[in-house]
Amino acid sequence: MERLELTELADLLREAAGEDQAAVLDENSLDTPFAELGYDSLALLQVSGIVERDHDVLLDEEALAEAQTPRQYLDLVDRALAARAAA
C-alpha cells in the first residue's frame, strides 16, 4: 500500500515554507503542532495540493483543518490513500 513518508512530508514542508523557515521534522516532532514547528496554514495548503496531485487523492478539507501535527497529517493522507486503493 502506498504511504506518505515522514521524509517526503518534511521535504514538501521545507519547500513550501522556504529553507530558512524550516524546522527539523523527524520522529521526535511527530506530535508537535505545525505552528510550533514554524509551518503556517499556507504551507500546509501548498503541501496538500502537491500531495493530492502527486498521489492522485482528494483530501477531506475538514479533516485537514483538524490535522494539527505531522502524525495527524500523515494518518489523514494514509487513510485517503488506502481508501483510493480499496476503490
Side-chain angles (χ1 to χ4, degrees):
M1 177 178 75
E2 185 180 4
R3 297 177 53 92
L4 179 65
E5 299 296 330
L6 179 60
T7 54
E8 183 180 358
L9 177 59
D11 289 344
L12 291 171
L13 283 167
R14 197 170 17 263
E15 288 175 24
E19 290 290 331
D20 296 341
Q21 305 295 324
V24 173
L25 185 60
D26 58 21
E27 295 291 328
N28 296 323
S29 57
L30 278 172
D31 295 312
T32 304
F34 285 115
E36 288 182 29
L37 294 169
Y39 299 111
D40 61 14
S41 58
L42 181 58
L44 289 170
L45 185 63
Q46 285 182 284
V47 167
S48 295
I50 293 167
V51 168
E52 287 181 333
R53 182 193 68 216
D54 290 355
H55 294 277
D56 191 29
V57 66
L58 184 60
L59 302 175
D60 180 275
E61 290 181 30
E62 188 174 310
L64 279 172
E66 294 176 11
Q68 299 297 312
T69 68
R71 184 183 311 275
Q72 292 171 336
Y73 189 88
L74 290 169
D75 289 346
L76 166 70
V77 172
D78 290 344
R79 283 192 308 271
L81 291 169
R84 186 200 68 205

